[in-house]
Amino acid sequence: MTQSYLTHLECSGCGQQFSHNEIHTFCPTCQSPLLALYDLKRARQAVDRDEITRRRKGMWRWHELLPVLLEENQIFLGEGDTALLSMPHLNKELGLTNLFVKDESSNPTGSFKARGLAAAISKARELGVQKVIIPTAGNAGGAMAAYAARAGIKALIYMPRDTPHANIEESQMTGAEVILVDGIISDAAGMAGEKARAEGWFDLSTFKEPYRTEGKKIMGYELAETFDWELPDVIIYPTGGGTGLVGMWKAFAELETLGWLSNTKRPRMVAVQAEGCAPVIKAFEKGALFCDFWTNAHTLASGLRVPKSFADALILQDLRESNGTAVAVSDEEILKAQHLLARQEGIFAAPEGAATLAALQKLVDQKWIQPEERIVLFNTGSGLKYLTQPT
Amino acid sequence: MANNVLYVEDNPDNMMLVQRALEARGYKLLKARNGLEGVATAENEDVDLILLDINLPDIDGYEVARRLRASEKRALASVPIIAITANALKGDAEKALDAGCDVYMSKPINIRELWARVEAFVPMP
């Protein structure tokens, strides 16, 4: 059995190809993110989607479409196969009939970041990487630390000083060195990049290596499988770095090439950001190909405090291809939505996840969403990780 | 319209990358390896756009931008300046814009974005 149908890496900007048997970061020619490509024609002939459904639960049951070549290099902590929950009370509240939440809080380390870091650390181990570094708004650091610990790889994390305490503590608990930075994730990214260049750490920053996207794309495969190989009408996704949004859009294209979908209908993708840091919304609305760096970024949703994603061009391209849109919500709206989701449906969502409900309310009001449409919100993590210590 | 782009940058790798990228699109690149050289080149040559690294070995990019905007050469008050920096440190973007830059970009420089941003000010020759 072929473990992976990975064939090569390709630059998302200029199309230059690279070997997957070597360590790569981003394109050295045009400095755009690299994407992993697979021999989907062969996979289409050889892989039975229904057989995948019968495998042991978790992200790695999709191993043919993931980049790790040897099973022994897969690092598994239980990531993937998160619940897709119907929302009976919110349906009534909002006048909808088909609302779902993909609840990523059950992933290891309590957030969707586990998926991307499981793939990236596994591939890093396969390529012989000994030490990894990451700038993070919080959850990616905790996830990287856990997978690096499991892989026996040294981990160094740069995070803003005001990162939720749980992220700092979980990272340290799993053996990572944590450096707290005055500023936000872009400040942490600058310092981590400098350290990586000076001392040879492998930089796992969002889209500055090709494999985190691969782990995240499995969210798209799971959605297709759960909806009996149809895709939802609308996906509402909190967008900081944008790995999940880009990854799922990639997954939908792969699924179509594999011939696994019942029809060719694709979802409209919605990027949600905070009003205090909304570079994607601004660029989307003015028809720009790239985002301007957002100055004075501020929001309580730390995962959305990303002034400019390294993959901004891909995010904008995918939103437009999907006939989607981009929505900004205020911190007040996020907090209200967090309470609403908890009280009505029993989900204590991360603020980033709650932001998707706030955005949904706006889209329903604008009639951008129709009552009968099948809608999926992504709760990217557990609200528990954002609790502050009593003073 | 002329197509002279001045790049003020002390890192030879970045200089090479940007030179290749812009010359491939027909722009002429003028090079300065530190801030003072950058100010002097801008004052002595015809420059249509300036790419300005912030972390320079002598005066920093903010000071370069301020001197350009206050220059006796009147044209430099309005020449477009794109600030570029390796470390998107807190307030860098704000400081760059306050110093008179028009746009802020952080490294690594995405070449397609660079083309788009340069072309927005100086159409491709």
Side-chain angles (χ1 to χ4, degrees), chain A residues 191-263:
Chain A
M191 291 183 189
E194 214 163 78
K195 184 85 170 171
R197 283 189 293 278
E199 296 181 13
W201 293 79
F202 185 60
D203 188 352
L204 291 177
S205 298
T206 308
F207 282 109
K208 290 183 184 164
E209 64 78 50
Y211 300 114
R212 283 175 64 181
T213 316
E214 295 305 290
K216 287 277 188 75
K217 83 178 179 188
I218 298 300
M219 296 188 295
Y221 279 83
E222 289 176 16
L223 280 183
E225 180 191 43
T226 312
F227 287 126
D228 201 17
W229 306 104
E230 284 185 11
L231 298 174
D233 296 301
V234 178
I235 292 176
I236 306 185
Y237 194 83
T239 306
T243 325
L245 191 146
V246 171
M248 280 194 283
W249 195 245
K250 180 174 185 284
F252 301 149
E254 290 177 0
L255 280 160
E256 203 172 301
T257 309
L258 287 163
W260 290 0
L261 295 176
S262 304
N263 58 53

Side-chain angles (χ1 to χ4, degrees), chain A residues 19-69:
Chain A
S19 167
H20 63 276
N21 294 315
E22 300 158 355
I23 297 171
H24 287 286
T25 52
F26 47 85
C27 177
T29 305
C30 78
Q31 313 222 59
S32 299
L34 301 180
L35 297 174
L37 296 188
Y38 299 80
D39 187 344
L40 297 175
K41 282 185 186 161
R42 270 185 60 221
R44 180 182 175 129
Q45 289 162 357
V47 183
D48 175 6
R49 69 174 195 196
D50 298 328
E51 199 264 312
I52 291 179
T53 297
R54 293 191 292 273
R55 291 178 184 167
R56 183 182 74 160
K57 290 293 177 193
M59 188 180 89
W60 294 104
R61 68 193 172 91
W62 306 92
H63 61 79
E64 289 95 339
L65 291 317
L66 284 167
V68 176
L69 306 183

Side-chain angles (χ1 to χ4, degrees), chain A residues 87-96 99 340 344-345 357 361 364-365:
Chain A
M87 297 288 116
H89 304 292
L90 284 177
N91 270 331
K92 275 187 197 159
E93 175 98 15
L94 297 168
L96 301 171
L99 177 62
L340 185 65
Q344 296 262 352
E345 303 287 4
L357 176 57
Q361 290 169 308
V364 169
D365 290 345

